[in-house]
Amino acid sequence: MRDRLTDALYGLGWGAVRMLPEPAAAALGRTIADAAWKRRGKGVLRLESNLARVVPGAGPERLAELSKAGMRSYMRYWMESFRLPSWTQERAQHSFDPKDIHLLTDALAAGRGVVLALPHLANWDVAGIWVTRALGIPFTTVAERLKPESLYDRFVAYRESLGMEVLPHTGGSAFGTLARRLRDGGLVCLVADRDLSASGVEVSFFGETTRMPAGPALLAQQTGALLLPVTLWYDETPVMKGWVHPPVEVPESGTRAEKTSSMTQALADVFARGIAEHPEDWHMLQRLWLSDLEAREDHA
């Protein structure tokens, strides 16, 4: 019953919010965000705990301000995402303003595969629809398999409607398919600041240890693809901003594990700079650092 209700609520969101005028959808998102923030539920408290690492020295008032802005940013993500399938070509083309996009387009034009690696900042789906519609470049991504299965199917259908090829995170075949796309000179986009497997790489992130996925670094090593970190943020305009950072190079020496560790740490460092500059747009409402994960296990 819970799974069916969750699926029904998401279906309602995709249907109803899509019909609203954009200003009304934005206002609704702010109202929902403020109500959730006032309830001080687990997600809000976890967000504040995470932000305390990002903004060291911030007092309770500052963290509360950041978490309120963070919930508004998070709901902006959802309101936009619900509406994306109904965006016109013109709306999609004017949805995103990235800096140094030539790093991506030049590599693809030369026939080289590219891995774009992003943290959970602002709206990666908006960046995706801009790539497919403004640049006319298809790409492949990976999605966490959600429960219920019908909800996962909704997400896959939604992202495929935006021009993305979506592979399930579990099942074992995703890596091989991604590698083939890259060897063919294609584009792969991966959200990569939170490890969803037991094979993540330990990195230092805001002074503490966490795990991030090895996939981006391994794909770059095995296929010769260019690995480009990307950070995103919102401002007061309807146009999301972004920055395609210089490539993370494969080290010339070391074992595969050593190279993967070095490259993943380099990604983490770029992500940290982008998150520190726009902490309110980091949608991390889950436990991330190993010390938090271990504390949960101790209380289980």
Side-chain angles (χ1 to χ4, degrees):
M1 177 63 72
R2 181 180 178 183
D3 285 351
R4 288 199 298 271
L5 178 61
T6 300
D7 184 49
L9 289 172
Y10 274 99
L12 179 64
W14 262 299
V17 174
R18 194 181 306 181
M19 302 299 293
L20 292 174
E22 193 157 344
L28 175 63
R30 289 192 296 270
T31 299
I32 295 172
D34 290 350
W37 179 79
K38 287 178 182 177
R39 284 199 299 269
R40 309 288 295 162
K42 288 183 179 180
V44 172
L45 295 177
R46 176 52 49 194
L47 177 62
E48 287 189 4
S49 176
N50 291 338
L51 289 170
R53 269 85 167 217
V54 175
V55 189
E61 281 191 20
R62 175 59 176 151
L63 287 176
E65 290 173 359
L66 282 173
S67 68
K68 184 175 185 178
M71 291 305 295
R72 286 189 169 194
S73 175
Y74 185 51
M75 287 310 303
R76 176 174 171 178
Y77 162 83
W78 280 110
M79 293 297 112
E80 287 177 341
S81 295
F82 286 143
R83 294 174 56 79
L84 282 182
S86 64
W87 276 13
T88 64
Q89 181 76 10
E90 182 180 9
R91 177 68 179 90
Q93 288 177 334
H94 294 89
S95 62
F96 184 39
D97 181 19
K99 174 184 175 184
D100 291 339
I101 193 67
H102 69 89
L103 294 172
L104 166 64
T105 55
D106 288 352
L108 293 175
R112 187 177 184 184
V114 175
V115 179
L116 294 182
L118 307 89
H120 285 82
L121 273 170
N123 195 331
W124 43 98
D125 283 333
V126 166
I129 195 174
W130 185 86
V131 167
T132 60
R133 296 193 180 174
L135 298 182
I137 299 171
F139 66 87
T140 305
T141 189
V142 174
E144 179 181 1
R145 191 172 284 280
L146 303 171
K147 294 182 179 180
E149 190 74 15
S150 56
L151 179 58
Y152 172 76
D153 292 340
R154 282 184 186 272
F155 268 96
V156 170
Y158 151 68
R159 289 196 165 109
E160 287 179 344
S161 76
L162 304 179
M164 311 175 192
E165 179 187 22
V166 182
L167 307 175
H169 182 268
T170 55
S173 63
F175 188 91
T177 302
L178 295 174
R180 286 194 295 274
R181 300 292 182 269
L182 292 168
R183 290 191 181 101
D184 290 339
L187 173 62
V188 165
C189 299
L190 300 171
V191 179
D193 59 340
R194 179 169 174 255
D195 178 52
L196 294 172
S197 71
S199 59
V201 178
E202 289 195 5
V203 296
S204 175
F205 195 53
F206 292 103
E208 294 191 43
T209 303
T210 187
R211 282 191 296 264
M212 292 188 181
L218 286 173
L219 286 166
Q221 289 178 63
Q222 293 193 17
T223 69
L226 195 67
L227 176 54
L228 296 175
V230 179
T231 53
L232 310 171
W233 66 92
Y234 290 130
D235 56 18
E236 299 304 316
T237 74
V239 181
M240 186 178 71
K241 304 303 187 293
W243 185 4
V244 181
H245 295 267
V248 172
E249 302 290 352
V250 178
E252 293 183 0
S253 61
T255 65
R256 185 173 73 168
E258 289 169 344
K259 291 177 180 180
T260 301
S261 177
S262 174
M263 294 172 72
T264 306
Q265 183 63 62
L267 278 180
D269 292 343
V270 177
F271 291 168
R273 290 196 295 272
I275 292 166
E277 290 173 1
H278 306 280
E280 68 280 1
D281 290 325
W282 189 41
H283 305 155
M284 189 55 67
L285 282 70
Q286 300 86 16
R287 296 174 189 265
L288 180 70
W289 282 274
L290 297 191
S291 58
D292 290 337
L293 294 168
E294 291 164 357
R296 180 178 62 182
E297 292 170 359
D298 290 343
H299 288 88

